[in-house]
Amino acid sequence: MSEAVATRTRQPKSATRAAILQRAYEMYLAGELDPGDERLSLVLDSLGYTTGAGYQIWANQAAFRKELAVYVADNIQYASLEPIAEEAIELAMRQLPFEEHVLHAGDLFVKVYQEREDFFLSLRFFAMSSDRPEEITKSLVDAYERSTWEAEEILKSGLERFGRRFREPFTMRDLTTTLTAMLEGFSLRKRVQPDAVTQGVPWRGGKHHLFSVAFLALLIETTEAV
């Protein structure tokens, strides 16, 4: 037995469990594990662990998948705007007309969902299943609330900057809810009909996602100049 393997086998179960879950999480995000068919053996192999190291912790494959789902849900960042925070700030500093600004902002939203769509959709479908752990539902709700708050803050500041307000009775919550539904639909369609959504549409010499144009239409319809 190598010194590295010997060291790993001496780790307490809690450390081994954490290492396996973290590695599975990384593989999941990288597309190295199939959503809904995460194989413990693949994770163990990537770490150089023996099969026994995993099955001393989880009684079977189903138990591992369930705990991994909770672990992934707890770390969910699918709709967080944090990855594009710097780009959003840079966009805000550019002197763009309202319509151009909205189109570029829509592209940033799409960027988040394109990067995390498999992660997000598989978790959402898991949460819809009848035997879902309560922890997953809670984690998904918390993640949704975080993302909604982030979106509201960004959208609110953007509208204020351009001197626009909602036409009553439409509210910021209505907008973020609609925006989330649009993005979910965009992500799902991208998965089943990728050619239908990857092509941009022309806009003043540039190209933008269909979502971005729909986002612009939504804002024009629901807001007015102060």
Side-chain angles (χ1 to χ4, degrees), residues 16-28 33-34 36-47 49 51 53-72 126 133 136:
T16 302
R17 174 187 244 107
I20 293 173
L21 288 172
Q22 178 58 30
R23 179 58 185 147
Y25 176 67
E26 293 168 357
M27 293 175 68
Y28 196 79
L33 292 178
D34 294 329
D37 186 29
E38 302 88 354
R39 298 183 182 179
L40 176 57
S41 59
L42 295 178
V43 183
L44 296 173
D45 287 345
S46 73
L47 289 168
Y49 288 167
T51 302
Y55 287 99
Q56 286 179 2
I57 300 172
W58 296 282
N60 50 49
Q61 181 75 34
F64 164 70
R65 286 177 182 163
K66 181 169 288 189
E67 184 163 347
L68 174 60
V70 175
Y71 184 86
V72 171
F126 191 99
I136 293 181

Side-chain angles (χ1 to χ4, degrees), residues 8-218:
R8 283 196 292 267
T9 57
R10 288 196 296 268
Q11 288 183 345
K13 281 189 178 181
S14 58
T16 302
R17 174 187 244 107
I20 293 173
L21 288 172
Q22 178 58 30
R23 179 58 185 147
Y25 176 67
E26 293 168 357
M27 293 175 68
Y28 196 79
L29 295 182
E32 298 171 11
L33 292 178
D34 294 329
D37 186 29
E38 302 88 354
R39 298 183 182 179
L40 176 57
S41 59
L42 295 178
V43 183
L44 296 173
D45 287 345
S46 73
L47 289 168
Y49 288 167
T50 64
T51 302
Y55 287 99
Q56 286 179 2
I57 300 172
W58 296 282
N60 50 49
Q61 181 75 34
F64 164 70
R65 286 177 182 163
K66 181 169 288 189
E67 184 163 347
L68 174 60
V70 175
Y71 184 86
V72 171
D74 283 341
N75 289 279
I76 196 168
Q77 294 289 329
Y78 76 86
S80 172
L81 302 182
E82 185 176 344
I84 60 169
E86 292 184 5
E87 294 176 78
I89 293 174
E90 181 182 348
L91 176 60
M93 295 174 65
R94 295 169 62 184
Q95 299 300 313
L96 295 175
F98 176 70
E99 292 178 345
E100 292 282 355
H101 184 90
V102 172
L103 287 171
H104 287 294
D107 287 350
L108 290 181
F109 277 110
V110 167
K111 180 179 179 180
V112 171
Y113 271 72
Q114 284 183 327
E115 291 177 351
R116 312 298 293 226
E117 58 139 343
D118 286 344
F119 182 29
F120 158 66
L121 287 171
S122 60
L123 278 178
R124 175 57 61 86
F125 294 150
F126 191 99
M128 289 178 178
S129 65
S130 59
D131 61 343
R132 65 184 181 275
E134 291 183 5
E135 299 96 324
I136 293 181
T137 301
K138 182 180 184 303
S139 295
L140 287 170
V141 170
D142 290 345
Y144 180 80
E145 290 299 323
R146 287 196 305 271
S147 66
T148 299
W149 180 84
E150 290 179 5
E152 284 186 0
E153 290 298 304
I154 290 177
L155 294 170
K156 180 180 178 181
S157 63
L159 290 177
E160 289 177 349
R161 176 188 170 199
F162 287 97
R164 300 184 75 87
R165 65 185 176 190
F166 285 116
R167 294 191 180 100
E168 295 183 356
F170 203 80
T171 66
M172 182 63 70
R173 174 63 63 158
D174 295 326
L175 176 63
T176 52
T177 301
T178 304
L179 180 64
T180 300
M182 288 168 60
L183 281 166
E184 290 176 8
F186 180 92
S187 297
L188 180 58
R189 191 176 181 195
K190 181 177 181 294
R191 170 179 284 186
V192 298
Q193 293 180 296
D195 293 340
V197 295
T198 54
Q199 296 178 353
V201 293
W203 182 270
R204 294 181 184 174
K207 285 192 174 182
H208 294 275
H209 289 99
L210 290 170
F211 166 81
S212 303
V213 178
F215 180 29
L216 174 61
L218 174 66

